[in-house]
Every structure is written in C-alpha cells, then in structure tokens.
Amino acid sequence: MSAVVSDAETRPRAAEGRAPDVFRPGGWVPMRRYSENEPVDFAIVGTGCGGSVLAARLAEAGHSVVAFDAGAFYRPLEDFASDEREQEKLYWLDERISGGADPLEFGSNNSGKAVGGTTVHFQMVALRWRPEWFKARSLLGYGHDWPVDWREMWHYYDLAEDAMKIAGPVRYPWGPPRGRYPYREHELSASALVLARGCEALGTAWAPTPTASLSAPRGLAHPCVYRGFCKIGCATNAKQSMLVTFVPRALAAGAEIRDLAMVGRIETGRDGRVTGVRYHRSGAWRLQKARAVIVAGYSIETPRLLLHSACPAHPDGLANSSGLVGTNLMVHSNHAVWGVMEEEIRWYKGPPSLAVCERWNYDDDKDFDGGYAFMSQGPLPTDFATALVSNEGVFGHRLRRWMGHYNHMAGLKIVGETQARDENRVELSEETDALGLPVPKVTFGYCDNDRRLFTHAQRFMRAVLDAAGGRDLYETADTAHLMGGCRMGVDPASSVVNADGRSWDIDNLFVCDGSLFPTGGGVNPSLTIVANSLRIAERIKALARRGEIG
Amino acid sequence: MDEKPFETPYPGYDVLAKWDGPSWNDATRRVVADRLENVPPRRFLGEAEYRLLRSVIETILPQPERSEAARIPVEAFVDAMLWNNEGSGTRYADAPPPREAWRRGLAAIAAEAERRHGRSFETLTAEERHALLAAIDAGETDPAAWEGLHPRRFFRHVLLKEAVKIYYAHPLAWNEIGFGGPAAPRGYVRLGPDMRDPWEAEEVRPPQALEGAP
Ligand SMILES: Cc1cc2nc3c(=O)[nH]c(=O)nc-3n(C[C@H](O)[C@H](O)[C@H](O)COP(=O)(O)OP(=O)(O)OC[C@H]3O[C@@H](n4cnc5c(N)ncnc54)[C@H](O)[C@@H]3O)c2cc1C
Ligand code: SF4
C-alpha cells in the first residue's frame, strides 16, 4: 500500500546524524549520534506520550538519550494521504492473539506504530481527570489509588496543555477551576451542535471539547483547516501529536531517535540490573548499552517486552516480583448511539469530537462505579460503514441506502471507564512473530459494573439524540484506548513500579506510558499520560542529580 | 428481502473533479491513482473461489447501475489483501488466521448453497443469495460446513467489514454518499448545519427513506 507514497516504512530515516524535519517537505534536522558501545544515560523504548516526553525532558536536562521506535518517522506534510486505507500504515498491525469473554480488537482501535506513537492518529480530545479518580479506592470505593496527589497532577496538566497548545473554552463546566486554555476554542461543527442541542433540551451541561488541534498558527504549523481526517493522521500539522511537539524538542535537545527499530529484549547483568537493549534494525539485531532503560511501549508492548526479557536473576520477567506485569489491563468501552437528522450534518468536517458531556463523570447518582464522557462523532466513510455492518449486519441495497444517509447522520459515543481486574491481562503465547519474538496474548472480559455503565450510557445518549431530533436510532458497541498492565503504586507487593515509574525490583529500570494507570478514569487518556510523564521526568532528573540511578 | 436499488442523492458530483485542485495533495493523488489504475489481478484464491467471492460481493454490495468496467472491483482487493497476507493486528483466539478464515468461510457458503438448493451459490437468484447470507448471519447453518468457524462472526467481522472497507475507499463510493473526499491542504470553511462549501457535494434529492433503524 504505502510504497506508492514513500519508503518511510522500509528504510530508516533517522540516521547518519540527521532526522526528518516534520515541518518541511523533504527537510532534515541535525541529530546527535551515540555509540552503541558506550552506555548512554537512558535508552527509551517507544516515542509516544511516555517515550517522547521523557526523551525531550531528559535530553533538555543534559542527559544522553537514545529513543527507539518500531514505527516509521513520517513527515506528515508529504507522507500522509487523505485516504483511510493508505493510512492504516499508522497502526500496529502485528498479530496479537485476542481472547476472553469479550475479546478486544487492536490495530486502528488502540495501537499506533510510528515515531510519535498512537497520538499520530489519535482524535485529540484533551480532558483532565476528575480529581477524586486519583484516589478512586479511598474516596469512591473502587479501583486502585494512584500514588500521586491530584494537585500535583493539576500542575503538570497545565504544562501538558501548554506544550500541546490545547484549544479549549474559556469556562469548562466540570471539575475544579483551571486557567485559560492556551488557544481559543474551535468553531463548533454541525455534529457538535447536535450534542449541544440534545443536552440543552434535557437540561444537562455540555462544553466545547478541549482539543489538541491548533486554533491559531504555531511556529511553522498552520491552524486546523477542518479537513476531518484527524483519526488517520493530520496532513497539515495542526494536530499536536507527539510527532510534532515533543519529538522535535527531543531532537533539538540532543536526543537520538532510531526509527524502524524494534526492541526485542532488555539486557541484564549478572547482578540483575539492566545494561542495555537489544533491538532489530535494518535486518540485524544490535545492542545499545545504557545506564538505565525506560520502557514506554504502551499497555501491550511494555508488558510483552518485560515478560520476554526474563533472565536467571528475574525468571518471571523483569519488574515482575509481584506477578502483576501484564495484569489489570483496561480499555474504555466505546458504545454509541447513531441517528438520522433532518438537516445536513456532513460530519466529515472538522475534528470529530468538538462537543463533550462529562455529566456522568461528576454526578454520582448512578448504578455503577466509575464514569463516562460522551462526545459528538464524525467517522470517515469506511470507519462508519464497518461499525454499521459489524454491529447491525446490514447488507445489500439496504446497506447502500443506509450509507446514502452519511451526510445526515449524527452520533454520540462514550469513553466509558472499565474496572481494573487481575484476569484482564497480557501474556506471552507459544507462537513467535517474524523476528522470533513471542506473540502477545490478550485476555479481556467486561464485569457487571462495566455493563451497567454502558447500558446507562446508551439509555442516556438515546434520550439526548432523540431530543436533538435524531430518527431511526441504533446502537453500536466497541472499545477504545488501553490503560494499565504495569500499574504504579506504593507497595511492591501490589504494584509493578513506584510513583517515579521505577521498578521495585531493578533500580535502573523504569516504565512510563499508559500502562502505569492503576485506574482508568472516564476520559481519553493521553493528556493524563503526557502530564504524568512530565511529572516522572522531574522525578528521574532528581534521582539522577543525586547519583541514585547508576 | 429488500429490492429497492440505491439512488444517490448527489448525481453529478465527482470528487475526482478536484484532482488538480487544492483539496488533493501529491500523496493522495499517488494512492488513489494506484487504486484506480492498478486493479490487482487474482493471485491468491482459486478460480472457483474467486467466482464465488464475486457473487457474494455482488449480493453484499450490488452495483446494478454500473457497467463491468465501471464497477468497484471489491473482490480484487480482497484477493490482494490475502495474497499480501495483510494483518489487522487482531487474531481471535478461537479463529484461524485470515487466509484460512476466508478459505473456510467461502467453502462454507458454497456448502450452504448446495445443502439448501442443490446448486452453486453463483447460480442462485439474487433473492436466494440474499436470503442465504441472511440465514448465515442468523446462525441457521450446518455446523459441519463451518469447521469451527463462527458463521456470524465470519460474515460480519471478516466478510462484510473487509468488503465495506474496500468499497467505501473508492472514489465512486465517495461520490454516491456525498463525502467531501480528500481534503488537504484545503479543508473546509463552512461547518454548520445545512452549510456547504462550493467544493462539496450538492444534495439534489433527499436520501431514500429508511424503514426504521438498520
Ligand atoms: C483512534 C484513536 C483515537 C484516540 N483518540 C484519543 C483522544 O482523542 N484523546 C486521547 O487522550 N487519547 C486518544 N487515544 C489514545 C492515545 O493515543 C493513547 O492512549 C496514547 O497515545 C498512549 O501513549 P503511550 O505513550 O502510552 O503509547 P503510544 O503512544 O502507543 O507509544 C508507544 C510507542 O512505542 C512503540 N513501541 C512499542 N513497543 C516497542 C518496541 N518493543 N520497540 C520499539 N518501539 C516500540 C510503538 O511503535 C509506539 O510508537 C486514541 C487512540 C486511538 C487508537
Ligand atoms: S481537522 Fe484539523 S486537526 Fe484534523 S486532520 Fe484536519 S487540520 Fe488536522
């Protein structure tokens, strides 16, 4: 597929002292190079919300950093087509075995593979957590507490929103007061106005969604042109993914990034401490020595790598004395209600989720633990059609007639919290992939509380869409996002890492990505991952200053 | 079964008319030109399997208004996907890998046609073909024919899903549903309800009535 556009997926681009300039077609920026045989301060696995943030912050503090990503290093302006099939190149499509009572779908649903990570194709919704969720167990009676105080997170949310120039409303109706968003809110699209109208009819608050897409110019990046292809990569650089924010910052600060570089194993010494990473690039296995390793491959690849790096000193996998690596994997339930509107909506225009309702994150008068937000929708044609056929089984002339209503459709979809449970987990299967690495096996099932949550949500969204004038309503079920798998905590027996992301077992091994979440929360995860990574960066810098890493 | 053929609300709209304009960038032009000009030849499925697949596709996405040359050749891209052994990132624990699933699923459809009608699927009338696929979706199947494959899951999540992913990625399909199509570097200016930029499809007649939810 993608070969007609460029060779980014077959030939490493970040090499020989230069890396792609994401802001200029054909452009390059200089890149520092580190020797494989001299240990660098930090080897980082992954360049998403965890990896790229740490690479930037640690390099800015003067550390030697090499960050690896299995994916390609794109220049959005020339490598991204306005085409759903072509852009599948952004997804992690390596096989994962999916089992359990409610097996998950991967690929486009939750996993990216590119420098910049999953944010290259995320939908830019940038919401803060409800403060109580950080102490969900103590304050709300479910889940697991974070080893972090919400006020500290609030500070890092400020920094994260500024780093991504979030465009948001002057007043946000839920949660504690916050400062102004760095950029003004976007104009609401017709699909967002459907949510607004429905909520107002029911007397429920709604808000323009804080969105990681520029509403005004920023450096060489133009403001959003409302082309609506965000979910498959923004070809204008308005989207504030990690690829155009922290990755360039990391390079400018002296980090080296190696694209098309799959880390297959974390190496350990006889003392059980980590010594570097073994990675596959340009057809060969190579070794990078490092004083410390930070794993930031997200909720499936991070546990996979830790488990596969088992060695005599750590026979059950690295950082796994608790036996918890890979467990407590969470998703967001992604149930939706769709309907046909009298007016033309043309929901393919603009960021897809420009209006949000967080009522059921903050209102505790409900029959389930946790919460959900719901947002307006704007799926591209094949995205919409696949949900229609897989949920409803429509085919024949009727399918084409349904699709003929594409420009009159509106939808509401939740980001619904699921409970952290030991049995929802990532393990290694007996099968191996093309590089000889064990294929991960993921087990997932909903619990009764999860089901009560999405049943509640579908009832409520139906009422909203009905009040907004929607006809012929129907529902679909899906999941999105991954969280957990290496939870952080205060106790080595009940968590994989501590509040600094540091393994309880190995003092020079860290985890920093979405897998740290002890509890999932009812909003999209990446702003929280970025904020948490900014926090962990300060912690690691402090440890390094005191000479406590090695 | 439901006979009324589809009629587009947007006759006269052609996203390809924007080819040289600011809505299309080079990357998009290369990808779409490749899709239109290089329709993949049959390489993976056998001749008989391919004939059956085409007949199934014509039942799922009938295109009576198009000539052979103008038809969206969904089956060709299914075969290419199988030939290239493209993954989706997910393999359900109780399902075979994609190539095996398609082979077994097509064989099962053929077996169901023989069992019910004593004839091959391709020789059935459009009504019979439609009814047969509906029965498969409803799980009214002969377990022996499916060799452990889950009929509805194969029909919806493998067959229908892949078919619409291919069909609605074709410019002719973008035209018929009035999708704006490629849009970079130029996007859109008018975002509100019943608002349309001059380079978007004009709705000439309302979409056909639906009889309730899908
Ligand atoms: C379609 C979609 C829409 C989304 N929309 C939103 C949204 O609107 N708002 C929101 O907040 N969140 C959204 N998300 C979720 C969000 O993108 C992720 O939660 C977030 O990016 C995860 O960050 P991470 O750093 O943990 O992992 P990632 O961003 O996935 O980064 C991990 C990186 O590590 C690399 N990697 C993994 N293993 C290895 C290895 N062994 N060797 C080398 N490299 C490796 C991967 O290639 C990847 O680039 C969306 C996700 C999807 C799929
Ligand atoms: S709508 Fe805005 S953010 Fe989304 S792809 Fe277009 S320009 Fe980028």
Side-chain angles (χ1 to χ4, degrees):
Chain A
M1 53 178 167
S2 350
V4 298
V5 173
S6 76
D7 62 356
E9 298 94 45
T10 47
R11 238 186 38 208
R13 282 180 165 177
E16 282 150 33
R18 63 180 198 176
D21 181 345
V22 294
F23 298 110
R24 290 187 175 83
W28 299 96
V29 294
M31 181 174 76
R32 183 108 185 242
R33 290 162 88 180
Y34 292 96
S35 147
E36 288 180 322
N37 298 321
E38 279 295 307
V40 288
D41 291 343
F42 297 98
I44 302 180
V45 184
T47 59
C49 300
S52 73
V53 172
L54 282 194
R57 298 299 290 144
L58 296 174
E60 283 165 359
H63 290 292
S64 52
V65 175
V66 178
F68 300 83
D69 206 292
F73 203 145
Y74 292 109
R75 294 186 192 93
L77 297 179
E78 63 184 7
D79 292 327
F80 290 176
S82 300
D83 187 88
E84 288 179 90
R85 255 181 117 65
E86 166 68 17
Q87 293 299 111
E88 287 178 6
K89 64 191 179 189
L90 299 180
Y91 305 142
W92 189 283
L93 298 176
D94 306 17
E95 191 161 273
R96 289 163 171 169
I97 298 173
S98 183
D102 303 287
L104 299 177
E105 188 171 336
F106 304 108
S108 63
N109 263 16
N110 46 37
S111 309
K113 185 185 204 175
V115 172
T118 306
T119 61
V120 179
H121 65 86
F122 83 153
Q123 305 212 80
M124 316 179 300
V125 173
L127 302 176
R128 294 187 182 199
W129 269 36
R130 173 179 169 175
E132 288 91 330
W133 291 339
F134 293 104
K135 292 284 178 282
R137 171 56 57 191
S138 319
L139 298 177
L140 300 168
Y142 72 93
H144 304 272
D145 287 353
W146 283 48
V148 183
D149 184 83
W150 75 270
R151 277 158 294 237
E152 193 183 351
M153 286 300 289
W154 228 243
H155 164 67
Y156 288 103
Y157 275 132
D158 284 344
L159 302 183
E161 286 167 354
D162 188 58
M164 295 160 80
K165 297 295 180 222
I166 303 300
V170 173
R171 199 188 144 273
Y172 193 71
W174 300 281
R178 58 193 68 179
R180 298 239 353 209
Y181 281 99
Y183 277 29
R184 68 170 164 78
E185 70 187 55
H186 287 280
E187 179 185 339
L188 293 176
S189 60
S191 78
L193 291 170
V194 170
L195 180 146
R197 191 163 74 226
C199 283
E200 282 176 10
L202 297 189
T204 282
W206 64 277
T209 310
T211 300
S213 165
L214 297 176
S215 60
R218 176 187 196 185
L220 290 174
H222 300 283
C224 177
V225 297
Y226 305 106
R227 58 189 282 274
F229 282 82
C230 328
K231 186 176 169 181
I232 55 167
C234 177
T236 69
N237 279 339
K239 176 200 274 194
Q240 297 296 286
S241 68
M242 298 301 109
L243 177 61
V244 301
T245 53
F246 285 97
V247 165
R249 255 175 85 172
L251 289 170
E256 177 178 350
I257 289 179
R258 297 193 192 141
D259 56 341
L260 303 181
M262 175 74 186
V263 176
R265 193 177 161 82
I266 299 167
E267 297 293 331
T268 37
R270 217 169 290 155
D271 60 357
R273 300 181 81 239
V274 306
T275 56
V277 297
R278 192 163 293 279
Y279 67 104
H280 192 269
R281 198 182 196 207
S282 300
W285 284 102
R286 313 183 64 90
L287 177 66
Q288 172 68 52
K289 291 189 178 162
R291 288 187 195 88
V293 171
I294 302 171
V295 189
Y298 207 11
S299 294
I300 294 174
E301 297 309 315
T302 290
R304 179 190 185 197
L305 182 59
L306 292 174
L307 294 173
H308 178 54
S309 300
C311 62
H314 308 283
D316 299 322
L318 306 187
N320 199 22
S321 62
S322 63
L324 287 171
V325 168
T327 67
N328 292 277
L329 179 74
M330 292 165 280
V331 296
H332 281 127
S333 56
N334 215 205
H335 291 63
V337 176
W338 312 90
V340 181
M341 311 301 294
E342 187 60 37
E343 70 271 27
E344 285 186 284
I345 304 295
R346 297 182 187 263
W347 59 3
Y348 52 82
K349 296 191 277 189
S353 298
L354 285 171
V356 59
C357 174
E358 273 206 75
R359 167 163 172 188
W360 296 106
N361 276 335
Y362 289 84
D363 184 336
D364 288 329
D365 184 14
K366 54 199 175 195
D367 64 344
F368 56 89
D369 287 329
Y372 66 86
F374 64 90
M375 282 145 243
S376 54
Q377 298 298 308
L380 292 171
T382 79
D383 198 11
F384 177 59
T386 50
L388 180 65
V389 298
S390 59
N391 279 279
E392 305 292 333
V394 203
F395 66 98
H397 292 294
R398 192 162 160 66
L399 167 59
R400 287 184 71 199
R401 287 209 308 278
W402 256 94
M403 288 300 294
H405 289 259
Y406 180 73
N407 283 345
H408 284 266
M409 296 297 304
L412 303 172
K413 199 185 244 192
I414 60 166
V415 166
E417 185 166 11
T418 60
Q419 297 295 305
R421 302 196 302 144
D422 285 350
E423 55 268 45
N424 288 338
R425 65 185 304 177
V426 181
E427 295 163 285
L428 302 181
S429 74
E430 302 290 307
E431 297 177 41
T432 51
D433 66 11
L435 295 180
L437 302 171
V439 171
K441 172 172 164 246
V442 180
T443 306
F444 185 82
Y446 287 123
C447 63
D448 285 342
N449 188 78
D450 300 339
R451 284 189 209 99
R452 282 199 298 277
L453 182 150
F454 57 68
T455 306
H456 182 284
Q458 278 180 323
R459 205 182 322 121
F460 192 75
M461 290 191 297
R462 223 172 221 284
V464 173
L465 200 50
D466 184 59
R471 290 178 288 114
D472 299 322
L473 305 188
Y474 70 97
E475 295 169 7
T476 59
D478 208 344
T479 66
H481 310 148
L482 299 166
M483 291 140 300
C486 288
R487 96 172 155 235
M488 53 180 176
V490 292
D491 170 16
S494 62
S495 57
V496 174
V497 297
N498 68 16
D500 304 342
R502 186 183 212 171
S503 157
W504 293 110
D505 308 336
I506 305 174
D507 69 357
N508 62 344
L509 176 64
F510 294 79
V511 174
C512 182
D513 59 17
S515 64
L516 295 179
F517 282 35
T519 300
V523 297
N524 320 50
S526 49
L527 184 72
T528 303
I529 304 175
V530 171
N532 193 43
S533 305
L534 287 165
R535 183 186 65 79
I536 286 179
E538 294 312 305
R539 301 290 310 150
I540 293 179
K541 277 155 58 179
L543 292 172
R545 266 198 309 274
R546 296 199 300 262
E548 288 177 22
I549 292 184
Chain B
M1 122 144 227
D2 173 13
E3 271 298 316
K4 214 179 316 152
F6 169 73
E7 279 175 28
T8 178
Y10 311 94
Y13 171 63
D14 183 9
V15 304
L16 296 178
K18 299 185 242 186
W19 187 276
D20 292 317
S23 293
W24 288 61
N25 63 12
D26 270 347
T28 308
R29 279 189 280 261
R30 283 204 290 275
V31 168
V32 177
D34 184 54
R35 185 168 304 150
L36 295 176
E37 287 157 21
N38 303 321
V39 173
R42 176 182 65 80
R43 281 166 298 183
F44 179 75
L45 294 172
E47 251 174 73
E49 281 173 317
Y50 195 73
R51 258 199 318 277
L52 168 62
L53 173 63
R54 174 164 169 160
S55 181
V56 170
I57 294 293
E58 277 170 2
T59 315
I60 291 171
L61 285 159
Q63 308 177 51
E65 78 280 25
R66 296 189 180 121
S67 69
E68 181 63 24
R71 208 180 140 260
I72 302 177
V74 174
E75 61 285 352
F77 292 96
V78 172
D79 186 81
M81 177 272 296
L82 292 169
W83 171 257
N84 297 326
N85 211 4
E86 279 165 32
S88 65
T90 313
R91 197 178 99 214
Y92 294 105
D94 55 358
R99 286 178 159 183
E100 181 55 29
W102 278 90
R103 281 234 147 98
R104 257 196 245 174
L106 288 172
I109 292 174
E112 294 287 348
E114 288 293 345
R115 183 169 71 89
R116 285 162 181 261
H117 299 280
R119 282 191 287 138
S120 70
F121 185 86
E122 304 93 287
T123 59
L124 303 181
T125 64
E127 287 79 9
E128 288 167 336
R129 283 187 271 128
H130 191 98
L132 185 79
L133 294 184
I136 289 172
D137 188 47
E140 297 155 12
T141 48
D142 170 17
W146 290 82
E147 293 178 66
L149 205 61
H150 187 295
R152 169 176 279 191
R153 207 192 284 158
F154 171 74
F155 181 63
R156 292 189 178 190
H157 292 266
V158 180
L159 184 58
L160 281 183
K161 228 171 155 169
E162 190 62 32
V164 298
K165 269 170 81 172
I166 293 167
Y167 185 87
Y168 289 101
H170 195 283
L172 290 177
W174 298 339
N175 290 345
E176 75 182 35
I177 63 169
F179 172 52
R186 179 178 65 183
Y188 302 101
V189 181
R190 295 164 187 81
L191 303 182
D194 284 328
M195 285 169 82
R196 181 174 74 82
D197 286 322
W199 56 93
E200 295 183 77
E202 187 186 352
E203 186 181 294
V204 176
R205 52 178 175 242
Q208 286 155 292
L210 296 163
E211 320 69 42

